[in-house]
Amino acid sequence: MFSPRTTPWPLVALFTAGYLAPYLLPTVVGRLDAGLPLSATQAGAVGSALLLSSASAGFALASRVERIGARALARIGLTLAVLGYGGAALAGSVPAVVAGAVLGGFGSGTATTVAATRIAAQPDPHRASTLGLLGVSALAGAVYLTVPHLGAGHGQPLAAIALTAVAVWPFTDRLPGRAAPAPARHDTAASRRLPQLRSGLVLAAAMPCWSLAQNSLWGVSGRIGQTQAHLGEATVGAVFAVALGAGLLGVLGAGALGPRLGRAVPIGGGTVLIAGCIVVSASATGLGSFAAGEIAWNALYPIVLSYLIGLAASLDPRGRWAVLVGSASSLGTAAGPLTGSVLSAQAGFPAMGLVLGAGLLVVAVPMTAVALHTGGRPLLPGAVRRRGGTPAAVVAVSPGTPSGTAVPQVGAPEQPVVDIPLNTPATTRDAYDTAGPRRAGGTAGAGG
C-alpha cells in the first residue's frame, strides 16, 4: 500500500511517540484522580501542565531543528520522555509525578516538533501526517484495551508512553544530522520572513480554540462514561478502543480522498459535525449514546486534524508555520483537561457539551476562510494539478518570464511558422553556458 522508499517511516514513528500522550489523556487523568490524593480538577490540572510543557517545546524549538539537527533533537526529546514518564510511573508522591509529567511532556513536544518540521518538508505532507495519525491511533487503541487488565494505579499509561519512546529510538538513526550553514545570500531577511503571514496568524489564533474544545471533552470522557453513563472502566476502555479504530478508518478515508475536495469542506464541515458529536457524547446517559458520540467524534477528529496539519504545512515549505500552528494548538490542548473539569463541575456535562459545541461553530468560520484563501494554491510549489489532485506538469519559470506566458493547450490550432532571417554573425561554441535553470534570487512558485 505504501512504498518503503517514499514513506518517511522515521517521521511516522516520531510523530506517534510525540502524539501518544495527548491521545492517552483520558486514562492518564482518570488514573491520576483514582490512584493519587488528587481531586478531579487537580488531576485535570496535571494533564494540562503536561500538555502545556509539550506546547512550550514547540515554541522554543520551532526555528532550531536545522541548527541542532533533527537526529540529535529527536534523541533529546525521546530521552526526556523516557525519564519523565518513566519516573512519574514509578513515583508515589504527587510532586514527583507532576515533575515527571512536565518533563515527559517537554520530551513529547520536542519529538513532535522534529516530526512536524520534517513532515512539512516532504513532497506530500498530508500523506505523511495521515500515516502518523494512523500509527498513534492504533497504538492508543491497543493501550486502552490493555491497561484496564493490568491493575489499578496511575503508572500503567505513563509507562506505556515511556516504552514507546524507547521503541522509537532506533528510527532516529535515519534522521538527518545538523545541516551545513547555508552560504550568504542577498535576500537573507526575505528568506527568514514568514510567508502567508495573515493566513498563518489567523490559523494560529483559531487552532487553540479548536483544540481546547476537543480536549475539554476528551479529558473528561472517562468520567462521563463512568459517572454519567454508569459504565465500568473496562467497558469505557473498550469504547475508546473502538472509537480510535473508527479514527483509523477515518484517517484512511482522508488519505484516499486527498485534496479532491480541497481543504475548506473537510475543515469547515467536519468541525460542524464534531460540534454535534461533542453535544451527544457530553449528554450521554447510557452505553448507546456514549458509544455513538465517542465513536463518531473520534472518526471525524483525525480527518479534520490531518487537513489542518496539511493546511499549516502548505503555508511555508520550511515547516515553520506547521510547528507554530501545532504549538498554538497544543496550548488549547493543554488547557482542555482543566477547562473540561471546571465546566463540568460548575455546570454539568451536558451544559459543558453545549458550550464547547457553540465555540466550535464560531471557530469554524476563520479556519474555513483560511482554507478557502489558500485552497487555490497547489500543494507542491510549481505544480499544475488536474481536478483530482494528481500532478500534471511542473512548469519552471525564471524571474524574467512575462506574466502572460501560458501553458499551451492540447488540441489548439497550429500557427503558421514564419522564417525571419537574421544578419547577425553565427555564435561560437564558447558563448554557450551549461544546461540547467538560471540562478535567480528566489524559487519560482514557492511559498507566496
Side-chain angles (χ1 to χ4, degrees):
M1 181 178 179
F2 299 110
S3 172
R5 292 186 178 182
T6 59
T7 301
W9 292 117
L11 300 181
V12 173
L14 200 61
F15 186 100
T16 300
Y19 264 84
L20 185 59
Y23 267 68
L24 294 182
L25 196 63
T27 187
V28 169
V29 172
R31 287 195 165 231
L32 288 175
D33 180 16
L36 294 173
L38 294 172
S39 66
T41 302
Q42 290 171 334
V46 175
S48 292
L50 185 159
L51 298 175
L52 182 61
S53 179
S54 179
S56 66
F59 283 116
L61 301 173
S63 61
R64 294 177 170 85
V65 175
E66 293 182 2
R67 188 186 315 165
I68 300 174
R71 185 190 307 121
L73 199 57
R75 289 176 173 176
I76 291 173
L78 295 176
T79 301
L80 294 178
V82 172
L83 295 177
Y85 294 124
L90 298 174
S93 65
V94 172
V97 171
V98 173
V102 171
L103 181 63
F106 195 89
S108 292
T110 302
T112 302
T113 299
V114 176
T117 303
R118 298 298 303 172
I119 285 175
Q122 295 294 308
D124 190 351
H126 178 79
R127 178 173 178 269
S129 60
T130 296
L131 288 172
L133 290 172
L134 280 173
V136 71
S137 297
L139 181 57
V143 172
Y144 276 117
L145 287 175
T146 305
V147 163
H149 303 288
L150 299 179
H154 70 281
Q156 288 85 345
L158 294 171
I161 305 172
L163 291 175
T164 300
V166 173
V168 168
W169 180 279
F171 287 93
T172 60
D173 290 337
R174 296 168 57 187
L175 293 175
R178 183 169 57 182
R185 294 177 54 181
H186 296 292
D187 58 342
T188 303
S191 65
R192 286 199 300 259
R193 189 180 302 120
L194 281 169
Q196 299 292 310
L197 184 60
R198 182 181 302 175
S199 296
L201 290 176
V202 171
L203 190 61
M207 279 300 292
C209 304
W210 189 86
S211 298
L212 174 68
Q214 313 291 333
N215 266 58
S216 293
L217 176 67
W218 188 236
V220 298
S221 287
R223 287 167 48 205
I224 292 175
Q226 295 184 48
T227 62
Q228 183 172 276
H230 308 292
L231 305 174
E233 183 186 13
T235 304
V236 171
V239 170
F240 287 158
V242 174
L244 291 173
L248 291 175
L249 297 177
V251 173
L252 286 173
L257 184 64
R260 289 178 178 84
L261 295 179
R263 296 191 183 99
V265 172
I267 290 174
T271 299
V272 172
L273 293 176
I274 286 174
C277 294
I278 288 179
V279 173
V280 171
S281 183
S283 59
T285 56
L287 177 59
S289 55
F290 179 73
E294 291 289 330
I295 291 172
W297 171 48
N298 277 276
L300 292 167
Y301 168 78
I303 296 177
V304 181
L305 179 60
S306 67
Y307 280 96
L308 286 170
I309 293 173
L311 176 60
S314 71
L315 298 179
D316 178 20
R318 293 178 60 185
R320 290 169 293 179
W321 275 126
V323 175
L324 292 174
V325 170
S327 299
S329 172
S330 297
L331 292 178
T333 301
L338 181 59
T339 303
S341 297
V342 172
L343 281 175
S344 60
Q346 298 296 323
F349 293 121
M352 177 201 70
L354 291 173
V355 172
L356 297 178
L360 277 178
L361 294 179
V362 172
V363 81
V365 176
M367 293 195 308
T368 305
V370 172
L372 286 172
H373 178 67
T374 61
R377 297 160 52 81
L379 295 179
L380 299 178
V384 179
R385 292 184 174 269
R386 302 189 187 100
R387 181 184 299 272
T390 307
V394 177
V395 183
V397 241
S398 64
T401 304
S403 59
T405 303
V407 180
Q409 300 295 320
V410 177
E414 295 185 0
Q415 301 298 322
V417 178
V418 180
D419 291 330
I420 303 176
L422 298 175
N423 296 323
T424 56
T427 307
T428 64
R429 175 64 182 85
D430 295 335
Y432 290 92
D433 199 352
T434 56
R438 296 181 177 178
R439 182 175 302 274
T443 303

